[in-house]
Amino acid sequence: MKKTVLFLMAASLAVLATSCKKGEKQAAVKDASNKLVVWSFTDELQGMINDYYKPAHPDEEVEYSMTPTDQFPNKLDPVLASGSGAPDVFALENAFVRKYIESGLLLPLDDIYAEVKDKMADYPMQIGSYKGHVYGMAWQVCPGALFYRRSLAKKYLGTDDPEKVQEYVANLDKFVETAALLKEKSGGKCDIVSSSGDMFMPYKGARKSPWVVDDKLVIDPAMDKYMDMCKLLHDKNYDGRVSQWSEGWFAGMKGTLKDDKGKPVEVFCYLLPTWGLHYVLKTNAPDTSGDWAMVAGPANYYWGGTWIAAYKGTKNPNAAKELIKYLATDDTFLSTYAKKSGDTVGNINVQNALKDTFSEPFLGGQNHYKAFCEMAKGIDGSLVQGSDQQVEALFQEAVTAYSNGEKTKDAAVADFKSQVASTLGY
């Protein structure tokens, strides 16, 4: 009997201790308030919060602040490092997302991902993960495609059918062959691209190795070929010799680009991601609507995107996670948002439900959405690193110097390696 009493007392104490520990754990993760401070570089997120999240979460208060993209890291870095004045949740642009994912300053989102992983596209989650933990989630995918002028395809290739045109640009070698063909058949008038810079993302997407391996700089063969491609396009006059985002680059979309002698230049295609259709082509060349079509092009690649993350020291971790989970994964919200915005979301359930319903007048009625969903499957997000932005800026300087004839290829590469070593230590 005595042993029984002692056993029951011990069991009771164990239960009490366990209950106390659970209570302590629950208390530790309880939010300090129902107010979230959210920072972003885009008003896109603001609309999503105001129009969708707040109505679905009436008890939550969100204080939103937007800072231009080029100023955003300078605002975010000191508050995350010090912990003073840091936002609960913030948006991260593709150019600098990995810098923060690898920083050790973000709240792990493993529990959210465990709930939704079966319905989320792979590559954004690869980018948002580091050393086995998830730190950022994206609501969309941004696969890149090749957009071409139907009228020029008919004139010089004999067809504007996307399946047939894809054969002409099926890989990077075929792309060069087609550039020569367009130049020949047009009597020198038609350039395959307006800017050789359009080729960077497809070549980057064709890499097998990241820029840095075991703390050493690596120039993947695809990046080496990119240098040769830019030189070839320049030397053979296969490109319009303008820079991306310049007046001439936009003029090529409208059909008003002219060469240095004032002669008209026809631009066959642009290599752009999902948002390039809605916010670049449609916005800057509305009069060409219906004269475009889209194919996958020579390589799988992505360009851009926005991830949402939370500060690891947030006093409202539950609300922060709920906001991220809702905006990045919720079926009902993303279905409504995709229909309204045309954004290619990263939720595969929503993709499958919607992808057969789209028809884009700007692309002559083509279903771009279904094509984008397929393209996203072939993207490898595992090569993205926090130092990419700095490395690639230096690399582009080397490519420009080589393609313009200012340096030999060997000299340009040597200078690039030296600059990376002195600035980044690789």
Side-chain angles (χ1 to χ4, degrees):
M1 181 68 180
K2 186 175 180 181
K3 288 183 180 179
T4 302
V5 172
L6 289 172
F7 173 79
L8 290 173
M9 287 177 64
S12 299
L13 287 171
V15 170
L16 180 60
T18 301
S19 299
C20 289
K21 287 180 180 178
K22 286 183 177 179
E24 289 171 4
K25 187 177 181 181
Q26 290 172 354
V29 299
K30 186 177 181 180
D31 288 352
S33 71
N34 65 343
K35 178 182 177 180
L36 284 176
V37 176
V38 179
W39 287 7
S40 182
F41 56 87
T42 170
D43 58 3
E44 197 174 13
L45 191 61
Q46 184 176 22
M48 295 164 72
I49 291 173
N50 289 340
D51 298 340
Y52 301 97
Y53 182 76
K54 283 184 176 180
H57 299 78
D59 295 331
E60 293 292 332
E61 181 183 352
V62 179
E63 179 184 304
Y64 190 90
S65 174
M66 191 175 80
T67 303
T69 308
D70 59 343
Q71 302 171 30
F72 191 72
N74 291 335
K75 178 182 178 182
L76 187 60
D77 287 352
V79 297
L80 289 187
S82 68
S84 177
D88 298 293
V89 176
F90 41 90
L92 296 171
E93 207 271 342
N94 174 66
F96 48 73
V97 59
R98 282 296 295 193
K99 165 187 169 181
Y100 295 96
I101 295 298
E102 298 172 13
S103 69
L105 297 172
L106 306 188
L107 182 72
L109 307 174
D110 300 345
D111 49 347
I112 295 178
Y113 183 56
E115 295 178 38
V116 303
K117 62 181 180 180
D118 291 338
K119 66 178 182 180
M120 301 304 292
D122 287 336
Y123 93 81
M125 297 308 310
Q126 290 176 320
I127 294 171
S129 302
Y130 184 59
K131 293 186 176 179
H133 297 285
V134 176
Y135 295 103
M137 303 184 77
W139 69 84
Q140 85 272 73
V141 288
C142 298
L146 184 149
F147 296 88
Y148 65 90
R149 294 291 292 269
R150 289 180 178 270
S151 56
L152 297 180
K154 282 183 179 179
K155 188 189 299 186
Y156 302 126
L157 303 182
T159 179
D160 71 339
D161 177 27
E163 288 189 12
K164 298 291 185 181
V165 173
Q166 173 62 20
E167 295 175 8
Y168 284 92
V169 292
N171 55 56
L172 295 164
D173 291 331
K174 289 290 292 183
F175 187 90
V176 174
E177 292 176 14
T178 300
L181 181 65
L182 291 169
K183 203 71 175 179
E184 177 188 350
K185 289 199 170 185
S186 68
K189 186 179 180 180
C190 184
D191 293 333
I192 193 164
V193 290
S194 59
S195 173
S196 59
D198 281 20
M199 302 306 302
F200 178 68
M201 289 300 183
Y203 272 94
K204 182 180 175 182
R207 294 179 306 159
K208 302 299 182 184
S209 171
W211 282 110
V212 180
V213 178
D214 296 329
D215 290 327
K216 293 182 179 180
L217 178 68
V218 174
I219 300 178
D220 188 273
M223 292 289 90
D224 185 73
K225 290 181 179 179
Y226 170 67
M227 294 188 76
D228 294 336
M229 168 69 88
C230 290
K231 181 65 170 172
L232 177 68
L233 292 175
H234 186 275
D235 289 351
K236 296 286 188 179
N237 287 317
Y238 290 162
D239 69 336
R241 297 196 174 189
V242 297
S243 300
Q244 281 185 316
W245 312 110
S246 69
E247 184 178 343
W249 192 66
F250 291 113
M253 300 173 189
K254 304 171 187 176
T256 59
L257 180 62
K258 295 182 179 180
D259 64 16
D260 54 5
K261 297 179 181 178
K263 294 181 179 180
V265 174
E266 296 174 330
V267 178
F268 179 72
C269 71
Y270 283 80
L271 291 110
L272 294 165
T274 50
W275 48 265
L277 169 63
H278 300 296
Y279 301 111
V280 180
L281 290 177
K282 291 168 73 171
T283 301
N284 292 282
D287 293 340
T288 63
S289 179
D291 191 35
W292 294 88
M294 185 184 88
V295 294
N300 285 320
Y301 71 99
Y302 86 98
W303 183 357
T306 304
W307 281 254
I308 316 173
Y311 173 50
K312 71 174 183 180
T314 175
K315 292 181 170 54
N316 301 304
N318 298 311
K321 288 181 179 180
E322 174 57 26
L323 175 68
I324 294 171
K325 181 181 177 182
Y326 181 86
L327 295 180
T329 77
D330 187 81
D331 291 15
T332 302
F333 157 63
L334 288 172
S335 179
T336 304
Y337 183 73
K339 292 174 185 176
K340 183 177 180 179
S341 67
D343 209 353
T344 310
V345 297
N347 182 318
I348 295 173
N349 290 346
V350 177
Q351 286 184 9
N352 291 337
L354 300 181
K355 66 183 182 182
D356 293 322
T357 66
F358 283 83
S359 176
E360 177 52 63
F362 193 85
L363 300 177
Q366 190 178 6
N367 185 342
H368 65 295
Y369 205 92
K370 184 175 183 179
F372 277 139
C373 292
E374 289 302 310
M375 292 173 195
K377 295 177 182 177
I379 297 170
D380 183 1
S382 67
L383 304 184
V384 184
Q385 297 175 318
S387 56
D388 282 359
Q389 187 177 24
Q390 292 170 282
V391 173
E392 288 165 10
L394 295 173
F395 182 68
Q396 291 287 35
E397 290 179 8
V399 173
T400 299
Y402 171 54
S403 60
N404 289 343
E406 299 164 8
K407 297 179 182 178
T408 65
K409 185 178 181 181
D410 287 344
V413 170
D415 289 347
F416 165 61
K417 290 180 177 178
S418 177
Q419 288 177 312
V420 171
S422 62
T423 57
L424 296 170
Y426 298 129

